[in-house]
Coordinates of all heavy atoms in Angstrom, one line a residue:
R1 N 132.0 -72.2 51.2 CA 132.3 -72.7 52.6 C 131.6 -71.9 53.7 O 131.4 -70.7 53.6 CB 133.7 -72.7 52.8 CG 134.5 -73.8 51.8 CD 135.9 -73.8 52.0 NE 136.5 -72.5 51.7 CZ 137.7 -72.0 52.1 NH1 138.4 -72.8 52.8 NH2 138.1 -70.8 51.8
L2 N 131.3 -72.6 54.8 CA 130.7 -72.0 55.9 C 131.5 -72.5 57.1 O 131.9 -73.6 57.3 CB 129.2 -72.5 56.1 CG 128.5 -72.1 57.3 CD1 128.3 -70.6 57.3 CD2 127.3 -72.9 57.5
A3 N 131.9 -71.5 57.9 CA 132.6 -71.7 59.2 C 131.8 -71.5 60.3 O 131.0 -70.5 60.5 CB 133.8 -70.9 59.2
T4 N 131.8 -72.5 61.3 CA 131.0 -72.3 62.6 C 131.9 -72.5 63.8 O 132.9 -73.3 63.7 CB 129.8 -73.2 62.7 OG1 130.3 -74.6 62.8 CG2 128.9 -73.1 61.4
G5 N 131.6 -71.8 64.9 CA 132.2 -72.0 66.2 C 131.1 -72.5 67.2 O 130.0 -72.2 67.1
S6 N 131.6 -73.2 68.2 CA 130.7 -73.7 69.1 C 131.3 -73.8 70.6 O 132.5 -73.8 70.7 CB 130.3 -75.1 68.7 OG 129.5 -75.7 69.6
S7 N 130.4 -73.9 71.6 CA 130.9 -74.1 72.9 C 131.5 -75.5 73.2 O 132.1 -75.7 74.2 CB 129.7 -74.0 73.9 OG 128.7 -74.9 73.6
D8 N 131.4 -76.4 72.1 CA 132.1 -77.7 72.2 C 133.7 -77.6 72.0 O 134.3 -78.6 71.9 CB 131.5 -78.7 71.4 CG 131.6 -78.5 69.9 OD1 132.3 -77.5 69.5 OD2 131.1 -79.3 69.1
R9 N 134.1 -76.3 71.8 CA 135.6 -76.0 71.6 C 136.0 -76.4 70.2 O 137.2 -76.7 70.0 CB 136.4 -76.7 72.6 CG 136.1 -76.3 74.0 CD 136.8 -77.0 75.1 NE 136.6 -76.5 76.4 CZ 137.3 -76.8 77.5 NH1 138.3 -77.6 77.4 NH2 136.9 -76.4 78.6
K10 N 135.2 -76.4 69.3 CA 135.5 -76.7 67.9 C 135.1 -75.7 66.9 O 134.1 -75.1 67.0 CB 134.9 -78.1 67.5 CG 135.3 -79.3 68.4 CD 134.9 -80.6 67.8 CE 135.2 -81.8 68.8 NZ 136.7 -82.0 68.9
L11 N 136.0 -75.6 65.9 CA 135.7 -74.8 64.7 C 135.5 -75.9 63.6 O 136.2 -76.8 63.5 CB 137.0 -73.9 64.3 CG 137.0 -73.5 62.8 CD1 135.9 -72.4 62.7 CD2 138.3 -73.0 62.5
R12 N 134.4 -75.6 62.9 CA 134.1 -76.5 61.8 C 133.9 -75.7 60.5 O 133.4 -74.6 60.5 CB 132.8 -77.3 62.1 CG 132.9 -78.3 63.2 CD 131.6 -79.1 63.5 NE 131.7 -80.0 64.5 CZ 131.7 -79.7 65.8 NH1 131.4 -78.5 66.3 NH2 131.9 -80.8 66.7
V13 N 134.5 -76.3 59.3 CA 134.3 -75.6 58.0 C 133.5 -76.7 57.2 O 133.9 -77.9 57.2 CB 135.6 -75.4 57.5 CG1 135.5 -74.8 56.1 CG2 136.5 -74.3 58.4
V14 N 132.4 -76.3 56.7 CA 131.5 -77.1 55.9 C 131.5 -76.6 54.4 O 131.4 -75.4 54.1 CB 130.2 -77.0 56.5 CG1 129.1 -77.9 55.7 CG2 130.2 -77.6 57.9
D15 N 131.5 -77.5 53.5 CA 131.2 -77.2 52.1 C 129.7 -77.2 51.9 O 129.2 -78.3 52.1 CB 131.9 -78.2 51.2 CG 131.7 -77.8 49.7 OD1 130.6 -77.5 49.3 OD2 132.7 -78.0 48.9
T16 N 129.1 -76.1 51.6 CA 127.6 -76.0 51.6 C 127.1 -76.5 50.2 O 125.9 -76.8 50.1 CB 127.2 -74.6 51.7 OG1 127.9 -73.7 50.7 CG2 127.6 -74.0 53.1
V17 N 128.0 -76.8 49.3 CA 127.4 -77.3 47.9 C 127.3 -78.8 48.1 O 126.2 -79.3 47.8 CB 128.4 -76.9 46.8 CG1 128.0 -77.6 45.6 CG2 128.5 -75.4 46.6
I18 N 128.3 -79.4 48.6 CA 128.2 -80.9 48.7 C 127.8 -81.4 50.1 O 127.6 -82.6 50.4 CB 129.6 -81.6 48.4 CG1 130.7 -81.2 49.3 CG2 129.9 -81.3 47.0 CD1 132.0 -81.9 49.2
R19 N 127.6 -80.4 50.9 CA 127.1 -80.7 52.4 C 127.9 -81.7 53.1 O 127.4 -82.6 53.7 CB 125.6 -81.1 52.3 CG 124.7 -80.1 51.7 CD 123.3 -80.6 51.7 NE 122.4 -79.6 51.1 CZ 121.1 -79.6 51.1 NH1 120.5 -80.6 51.6 NH2 120.4 -78.7 50.5
A20 N 129.2 -81.3 53.1 CA 130.2 -82.1 53.8 C 131.1 -81.2 54.7 O 131.5 -80.2 54.3 CB 131.0 -82.9 52.8
E21 N 131.5 -81.8 55.8 CA 132.5 -81.2 56.7 C 133.8 -81.4 56.2 O 134.2 -82.5 55.9 CB 132.3 -81.8 58.2 CG 133.1 -81.0 59.1 CD 132.9 -81.5 60.6 OE1 131.9 -81.3 61.1 OE2 133.9 -82.2 61.1
L22 N 134.5 -80.2 56.0 CA 135.8 -80.2 55.4 C 136.9 -80.3 56.5 O 138.0 -80.9 56.3 CB 136.0 -79.0 54.5 CG 135.1 -78.8 53.4 CD1 135.4 -77.6 52.6 CD2 135.1 -80.0 52.4
Q23 N 136.6 -79.6 57.6 CA 137.6 -79.5 58.7 C 136.9 -79.5 60.0 O 135.8 -79.0 60.1 CB 138.4 -78.2 58.6 CG 139.4 -78.1 57.5 CD 140.0 -76.7 57.6 OE1 140.3 -76.1 58.6 NE2 140.2 -76.1 56.4
E24 N 137.6 -79.9 61.0 CA 137.2 -79.8 62.5 C 138.5 -79.4 63.2 O 139.5 -80.2 63.2 CB 136.6 -81.0 62.9 CG 136.1 -80.8 64.4 CD 135.4 -82.1 64.8 OE1 134.1 -82.2 64.5 OE2 136.0 -82.9 65.6
V25 N 138.6 -78.3 63.8 CA 139.8 -77.8 64.5 C 139.6 -77.6 65.9 O 138.6 -76.8 66.3 CB 140.4 -76.5 63.8 CG1 141.6 -76.0 64.5 CG2 140.6 -76.6 62.3
D26 N 140.3 -78.2 66.8 CA 140.0 -78.1 68.3 C 140.6 -76.8 68.8 O 141.7 -76.3 68.3 CB 140.7 -79.3 69.0 CG 140.0 -80.6 68.8 OD1 138.8 -80.6 68.7 OD2 140.7 -81.6 68.7
H27 N 139.9 -76.2 69.8 CA 140.4 -75.0 70.5 C 140.4 -75.5 72.0 O 140.0 -76.5 72.3 CB 139.5 -73.9 70.3 CG 139.7 -73.3 69.0 ND1 139.5 -73.9 67.8 CD2 140.0 -71.9 68.6 CE1 139.7 -73.0 66.7 NE2 140.0 -71.9 67.3
H28 N 141.0 -74.6 72.8 CA 141.1 -74.8 74.3 C 139.9 -74.2 75.0 O 139.8 -74.4 76.2 CB 142.4 -74.3 74.8 CG 143.6 -74.9 74.3 ND1 144.0 -76.3 74.6 CD2 144.5 -74.5 73.4 CE1 145.0 -76.5 73.9 NE2 145.4 -75.5 73.1
G29 N 139.0 -73.6 74.3 CA 137.9 -73.0 74.8 C 136.8 -72.9 73.8 O 137.0 -73.2 72.6
G30 N 135.5 -72.5 74.2 CA 134.5 -72.4 73.2 C 134.8 -71.3 72.1 O 135.4 -70.4 72.4
V31 N 134.5 -71.6 70.9 CA 134.7 -70.7 69.8 C 133.6 -69.7 69.7 O 132.5 -70.1 69.3 CB 134.9 -71.5 68.5 CG1 135.2 -70.5 67.4 CG2 136.1 -72.4 68.6
C32 N 133.8 -68.4 70.0 CA 132.7 -67.4 70.0 C 132.5 -66.7 68.8 O 131.4 -66.2 68.5 CB 133.2 -66.3 71.1 SG 133.5 -67.0 72.8
S33 N 133.5 -66.6 67.9 CA 133.4 -65.9 66.6 C 134.3 -66.4 65.6 O 135.4 -67.0 65.9 CB 133.7 -64.4 66.9 OG 134.9 -64.2 67.5
V34 N 133.9 -66.4 64.3 CA 134.8 -66.8 63.2 C 134.5 -65.8 62.0 O 133.6 -65.1 61.9 CB 134.4 -68.2 62.7 CG1 134.6 -69.2 63.8 CG2 132.8 -68.2 62.3
A35 N 135.6 -65.6 61.2 CA 135.6 -64.8 60.1 C 136.6 -65.2 59.0 O 137.8 -65.5 59.3 CB 135.9 -63.3 60.4
F36 N 136.1 -65.3 57.7 CA 137.1 -65.6 56.7 C 137.7 -64.3 56.2 O 137.1 -63.3 56.3 CB 136.3 -66.2 55.5 CG 136.0 -67.6 55.6 CD1 134.7 -68.0 55.9 CD2 137.0 -68.6 55.2 CE1 134.4 -69.5 55.9 CE2 136.7 -70.0 55.3 CZ 135.4 -70.3 55.7
S37 N 138.9 -64.4 55.8 CA 139.6 -63.2 55.2 C 138.9 -63.0 53.9 O 138.3 -63.9 53.2 CB 141.1 -63.5 55.0 OG 141.2 -64.5 54.2
P38 N 138.9 -61.7 53.3 CA 138.3 -61.5 52.1 C 138.7 -62.4 50.9 O 137.9 -62.7 50.1 CB 138.7 -60.0 51.7 CG 138.9 -59.4 53.1 CD 139.6 -60.6 53.9
D39 N 139.9 -62.9 50.9 CA 140.4 -63.8 49.9 C 140.1 -65.3 50.1 O 140.3 -66.1 49.3 CB 141.8 -63.6 49.4 CG 142.8 -64.0 50.6 OD1 142.3 -64.4 51.6 OD2 144.0 -63.8 50.4
G40 N 139.5 -65.6 51.3 CA 139.2 -66.9 51.7 C 140.3 -67.7 52.1 O 140.2 -68.9 52.5
A41 N 141.6 -67.2 52.1 CA 142.8 -68.0 52.4 C 142.9 -68.3 53.9 O 143.6 -69.2 54.4 CB 144.0 -67.3 51.9
R42 N 142.5 -67.3 54.8 CA 142.7 -67.4 56.2 C 141.3 -67.4 56.9 O 140.2 -66.9 56.4 CB 143.5 -66.3 56.7 CG 144.9 -66.3 56.2 CD 145.7 -65.0 56.4 NE 145.1 -64.0 55.5 CZ 145.1 -62.7 55.9 NH1 145.5 -62.3 56.9 NH2 144.5 -61.9 54.9
L43 N 141.4 -67.9 58.1 CA 140.1 -67.9 59.0 C 140.6 -67.4 60.3 O 141.6 -67.9 60.9 CB 139.6 -69.3 59.0 CG 138.3 -69.6 59.6 CD1 137.2 -68.8 59.0 CD2 138.0 -71.1 59.5
A44 N 139.8 -66.4 60.9 CA 140.2 -66.0 62.3 C 139.1 -66.6 63.2 O 137.9 -66.6 62.8 CB 140.2 -64.5 62.3
T45 N 139.5 -66.9 64.4 CA 138.6 -67.3 65.4 C 138.9 -66.6 66.7 O 140.1 -66.3 67.1 CB 138.7 -68.9 65.7 OG1 140.0 -69.2 66.3 CG2 138.5 -69.7 64.5
G46 N 137.8 -66.3 67.5 CA 137.9 -65.7 68.7 C 137.3 -66.7 69.8 O 136.2 -67.4 69.4
S47 N 137.9 -66.9 70.9 CA 137.6 -68.0 71.8 C 137.5 -67.5 73.3 O 138.1 -66.4 73.6 CB 138.7 -69.1 71.7 OG 138.3 -70.1 72.5
D48 N 136.7 -68.2 74.0 CA 136.7 -68.0 75.4 C 137.9 -68.5 76.2 O 137.9 -68.4 77.4 CB 135.3 -68.4 76.1 CG 135.1 -69.8 76.1 OD1 136.0 -70.6 75.8 OD2 133.9 -70.2 76.3
D49 N 138.9 -68.9 75.5 CA 140.2 -69.2 76.0 C 141.1 -68.0 76.0 O 142.3 -68.1 76.3 CB 140.8 -70.5 75.4 CG 141.3 -70.3 74.0 OD1 141.1 -69.2 73.5 OD2 141.8 -71.2 73.4
W50 N 140.5 -66.9 75.7 CA 141.2 -65.6 75.7 C 142.2 -65.5 74.5 O 143.2 -64.7 74.5 CB 141.9 -65.3 77.0 CG 141.0 -65.2 78.2 CD1 139.7 -65.7 78.2 CD2 141.3 -64.7 79.4 NE1 139.3 -65.4 79.6 CE2 140.2 -64.8 80.3 CE3 142.5 -64.1 79.9 CZ2 140.3 -64.3 81.6 CZ3 142.5 -63.6 81.2 CH2 141.4 -63.7 82.1
K51 N 141.9 -66.1 73.4 CA 142.9 -66.1 72.3 C 142.2 -65.8 70.9 O 141.1 -66.3 70.7 CB 143.7 -67.4 72.2 CG 144.6 -67.5 73.4 CD 145.6 -68.7 73.2 CE 146.4 -68.8 74.4 NZ 147.1 -70.1 74.6
L52 N 143.0 -65.1 70.2 CA 142.5 -64.9 68.8 C 143.5 -65.8 67.9 O 144.7 -65.9 68.3 CB 142.9 -63.4 68.3 CG 143.1 -63.2 66.8 CD1 141.7 -63.4 66.0 CD2 143.7 -62.0 66.5
R53 N 143.0 -66.6 67.1 CA 143.8 -67.5 66.2 C 143.6 -67.1 64.7 O 142.3 -66.9 64.4 CB 143.5 -69.0 66.5 CG 143.9 -69.4 67.7 CD 143.5 -70.9 68.0 NE 144.0 -71.3 69.4 CZ 143.3 -71.1 70.4 NH1 142.2 -70.5 70.4 NH2 143.9 -71.6 71.6
V54 N 144.6 -67.2 63.9 CA 144.4 -67.0 62.4 C 144.9 -68.4 61.9 O 145.9 -68.8 62.2 CB 145.3 -65.9 61.9 CG1 145.1 -65.8 60.4 CG2 144.8 -64.5 62.6
L55 N 144.1 -69.0 61.2 CA 144.3 -70.3 60.6 C 144.4 -70.3 59.1 O 143.7 -69.5 58.5 CB 143.3 -71.3 61.0 CG 143.0 -71.4 62.5 CD1 141.8 -70.7 63.0 CD2 143.0 -72.9 62.9
D56 N 145.1 -71.2 58.5 CA 145.0 -71.4 57.0 C 143.6 -72.0 56.8 O 143.3 -73.1 57.4 CB 146.1 -72.4 56.7 CG 146.1 -72.7 55.2 OD1 145.1 -73.4 54.7 OD2 147.0 -72.3 54.5
S57 N 142.8 -71.4 56.0 CA 141.4 -72.1 55.8 C 141.3 -73.3 55.1 O 140.3 -74.0 55.1 CB 140.5 -70.9 55.1 OG 141.0 -70.8 53.8
V58 N 142.4 -73.7 54.4 CA 142.4 -75.0 53.7 C 142.8 -76.2 54.6 O 142.3 -77.2 54.8 CB 143.2 -75.0 52.5 CG1 143.3 -76.4 51.8 CG2 142.5 -74.0 51.5
T59 N 144.1 -76.0 55.3 CA 144.7 -77.0 56.1 C 144.2 -76.9 57.6 O 144.3 -77.9 58.3 CB 146.2 -76.9 56.1 OG1 146.6 -75.6 56.7 CG2 146.7 -76.9 54.7
G60 N 143.8 -75.8 58.1 CA 143.5 -75.7 59.5 C 144.6 -75.3 60.4 O 144.6 -75.3 61.6
A61 N 145.8 -75.2 59.8 CA 147.1 -74.9 60.5 C 147.0 -73.6 61.2 O 146.6 -72.6 60.5 CB 148.3 -75.1 59.6
V62 N 147.4 -73.4 62.4 CA 147.4 -72.1 63.1 C 148.6 -71.3 62.6 O 149.8 -71.8 62.7 CB 147.4 -72.4 64.6 CG1 147.6 -71.0 65.3 CG2 146.3 -73.1 65.1
L63 N 148.3 -70.1 62.0 CA 149.3 -69.3 61.4 C 149.8 -68.3 62.5 O 151.0 -67.8 62.5 CB 148.8 -68.5 60.2 CG 148.3 -69.5 59.1 CD1 147.7 -68.6 58.1 CD2 149.4 -70.3 58.5
Q64 N 148.9 -67.9 63.4 CA 149.1 -66.8 64.4 C 148.2 -67.0 65.5 O 147.0 -67.3 65.4 CB 149.1 -65.5 63.9 CG 149.6 -64.4 64.7 CD 149.5 -63.0 64.0 OE1 149.0 -62.9 62.9 NE2 150.1 -62.1 64.6
E65 N 148.7 -66.8 66.8 CA 147.9 -66.8 67.9 C 148.3 -65.6 68.7 O 149.3 -65.3 69.0 CB 148.2 -68.1 68.7 CG 147.2 -68.4 69.9 CD 147.5 -69.8 70.4 OE1 148.3 -69.9 71.3 OE2 146.9 -70.8 69.9
V66 N 147.2 -64.8 69.2 CA 147.4 -63.6 70.0 C 146.5 -63.7 71.2 O 145.3 -63.9 71.3 CB 147.0 -62.4 69.2 CG1 147.2 -61.1 70.1 CG2 147.8 -62.3 67.9
A67 N 147.2 -63.6 72.4 CA 146.5 -63.7 73.7 C 145.8 -62.3 74.1 O 146.3 -61.3 73.6 CB 147.5 -64.0 74.8
H68 N 144.7 -62.4 74.6 CA 143.9 -61.2 75.1 C 143.7 -61.4 76.5 O 144.1 -62.4 77.2 CB 142.5 -61.1 74.4 CG 142.6 -60.6 73.0 ND1 143.4 -61.3 72.0 CD2 142.1 -59.5 72.4 CE1 143.2 -60.6 70.9 NE2 142.4 -59.6 71.1
D69 N 143.1 -60.4 77.3 CA 142.9 -60.4 78.7 C 141.4 -60.7 79.1 O 140.9 -60.3 80.0 CB 143.2 -59.0 79.3 CG 144.7 -58.7 79.2 OD1 145.5 -59.7 79.4 OD2 145.1 -57.5 79.0
G70 N 140.8 -61.5 78.1 CA 139.4 -61.9 78.3 C 138.9 -62.6 77.1 O 139.6 -62.8 76.1
D71 N 137.6 -63.1 77.2 CA 137.1 -63.8 76.0 C 137.0 -62.9 74.8 O 136.8 -61.7 74.8 CB 135.6 -64.2 76.3 CG 135.4 -65.1 77.5 OD1 136.4 -65.6 78.0 OD2 134.3 -65.4 77.8
V72 N 137.5 -63.5 73.6 CA 137.5 -62.8 72.3 C 136.1 -63.1 71.7 O 135.9 -64.2 71.3 CB 138.7 -63.3 71.5 CG1 138.5 -62.5 70.2 CG2 139.9 -63.0 72.2
S73 N 135.3 -62.1 71.7 CA 133.8 -62.4 71.3 C 133.5 -61.9 69.9 O 132.4 -62.2 69.4 CB 132.9 -61.7 72.3 OG 133.2 -60.4 72.5
A74 N 134.4 -61.2 69.2 CA 134.2 -60.7 67.8 C 135.5 -60.7 67.1 O 136.5 -60.3 67.7 CB 133.5 -59.4 67.8
V75 N 135.4 -61.0 65.8 CA 136.7 -60.9 65.0 C 136.2 -60.4 63.6 O 135.1 -60.9 63.1 CB 137.4 -62.3 64.8 CG1 138.1 -62.7 66.1 CG2 136.6 -63.4 64.2
A76 N 137.0 -59.6 63.0 CA 136.6 -59.1 61.6 C 137.8 -58.6 60.9 O 138.7 -58.0 61.3 CB 135.6 -58.0 61.7
F77 N 138.0 -59.1 59.6 CA 139.0 -58.7 58.7 C 138.7 -57.3 58.1 O 137.4 -57.1 57.8 CB 139.3 -59.7 57.6 CG 140.1 -60.9 58.0 CD1 139.4 -62.0 58.5 CD2 141.5 -60.9 58.0 CE1 140.2 -63.2 58.9 CE2 142.1 -61.9 58.4 CZ 141.5 -63.1 58.9
S78 N 139.6 -56.5 57.8 CA 139.4 -55.3 57.0 C 139.1 -55.7 55.6 O 139.4 -56.9 55.1 CB 140.6 -54.4 57.0 OG 141.7 -55.1 56.5
P79 N 138.4 -54.9 54.7 CA 138.1 -55.2 53.4 C 139.3 -55.7 52.5 O 139.1 -56.6 51.7 CB 137.4 -54.0 52.9 CG 136.9 -53.3 54.0 CD 137.8 -53.6 55.1
D80 N 140.4 -55.1 52.9 CA 141.7 -55.5 52.0 C 142.4 -56.7 52.7 O 143.3 -57.3 52.1 CB 142.6 -54.4 51.9 CG 143.2 -53.8 53.2 OD1 142.9 -54.5 54.3 OD2 143.9 -52.8 53.1
G81 N 141.9 -57.3 53.8 CA 142.5 -58.4 54.4 C 143.7 -58.2 55.2 O 144.3 -59.1 55.7
V82 N 144.3 -57.0 55.3 CA 145.5 -56.6 55.9 C 145.4 -56.5 57.4 O 146.3 -56.9 58.1 CB 146.0 -55.3 55.3 CG1 147.3 -54.9 56.1 CG2 146.4 -55.5 53.9
R83 N 144.3 -56.0 57.9 CA 144.1 -55.9 59.3 C 142.9 -56.7 59.8 O 142.1 -57.1 59.1 CB 143.8 -54.4 59.7 CG 144.9 -53.5 59.3 CD 144.5 -52.0 59.7 NE 145.6 -51.2 59.5 CZ 146.1 -50.6 58.5 NH1 145.5 -50.9 57.3 NH2 147.2 -49.9 58.4
L84 N 143.1 -57.0 61.1 CA 142.1 -57.9 61.8 C 141.7 -57.2 63.2 O 142.6 -56.8 63.9 CB 142.7 -59.2 62.1 CG 141.9 -60.3 62.7 CD1 140.6 -60.6 61.8 CD2 142.7 -61.6 63.0
A85 N 140.5 -57.0 63.4 CA 139.9 -56.4 64.5 C 139.4 -57.5 65.5 O 138.7 -58.3 64.9 CB 139.0 -55.2 64.3
T86 N 139.5 -57.2 66.8 CA 138.8 -58.1 67.7 C 138.0 -57.3 68.7 O 138.4 -56.2 69.0 CB 139.9 -59.0 68.4 OG1 140.7 -58.1 69.2 CG2 140.7 -59.8 67.6
G87 N 136.9 -57.9 69.1 CA 136.2 -57.4 70.2 C 136.4 -58.3 71.4 O 136.3 -59.5 71.2
C88 N 136.6 -57.8 72.6 CA 136.9 -58.6 73.7 C 136.3 -58.1 75.1 O 136.1 -56.9 75.2 CB 138.4 -58.7 73.9 SG 139.1 -59.8 75.1
V89 N 136.0 -59.0 75.9 CA 135.5 -58.5 77.2 C 136.4 -57.7 78.0 O 136.0 -57.1 79.0 CB 134.9 -59.7 78.0 CG1 133.8 -60.4 77.3 CG2 136.0 -60.7 78.5
D90 N 137.6 -57.6 77.7 CA 138.6 -56.8 78.3 C 138.6 -55.3 77.9 O 139.3 -54.5 78.4 CB 140.1 -57.3 78.1 CG 140.7 -57.2 76.7 OD1 139.9 -56.7 75.9 OD2 141.8 -57.6 76.5
C91 N 137.6 -55.0 77.0 CA 137.3 -53.7 76.5 C 138.4 -53.0 75.7 O 138.5 -51.8 75.6 CB 136.9 -52.8 77.7 SG 135.4 -53.3 78.6
K92 N 139.2 -53.9 75.2 CA 140.3 -53.4 74.3 C 140.1 -53.9 72.9 O 139.3 -54.8 72.6 CB 141.7 -54.0 74.8 CG 142.1 -53.5 76.1 CD 143.4 -54.1 76.6 CE 143.8 -53.8 77.9 NZ 144.9 -54.5 78.4
M93 N 140.7 -53.2 71.9 CA 140.6 -53.7 70.5 C 141.9 -53.7 69.9 O 142.8 -53.1 70.3 CB 139.8 -52.5 69.8 CG 139.3 -53.0 68.5 SD 138.1 -51.9 67.7 CE 139.1 -50.7 66.9

């Protein structure tokens, strides 16, 4: 699977084998960054609506949402999937 974010405020998940879109999830701002958890079960997004979202990668359901003080421009899971780091224009991590 491949996940993409866009300024059109959508996260898209595509199956690269069958070349089909599996999900489209709306956000309130452009999606700046995306990352799958190591086990593939979760998907994190960073958005210019100042929020980090953690979603179920199969259903697209929002599992957690964390507000920041600026655009969330980078997201990354730790190798064990326990922690999630964000990069943000508010200069906090």
Side-chain angles (χ1 to χ4, degrees):
R1 292 178 296 161
L2 172 72
T4 65
S6 176
S7 61
D8 68 358
R9 301 178 177 190
K10 295 187 185 297
L11 162 73
R12 291 180 177 86
V13 179
V14 177
D15 184 316
T16 58
V17 175
I18 62 172
R19 298 182 182 189
E21 187 175 289
L22 302 175
Q23 290 179 36
E24 185 176 278
V25 180
D26 290 324
H27 284 59
H28 298 290
V31 180
C32 305
S33 57
V34 297
F36 279 102
S37 62
D39 65 2
R42 293 166 291 147
L43 186 59
T45 64
S47 178
D48 64 14
D49 66 0
W50 298 16
K51 292 187 180 167
L52 159 73
R53 289 179 181 83
V54 179
L55 303 105
D56 181 291
S57 69
V58 175
T59 67
V62 177
L63 304 174
Q64 188 173 10
E65 191 173 88
V66 179
H68 283 60
D69 292 327
D71 297 356
V72 182
S73 56
V75 295
F77 281 94
S78 62
D80 62 6
V82 174
R83 292 181 176 81
L84 182 61
T86 60
C88 185
V89 298
D90 67 0
C91 299
K92 297 177 185 173
M93 191 166 89

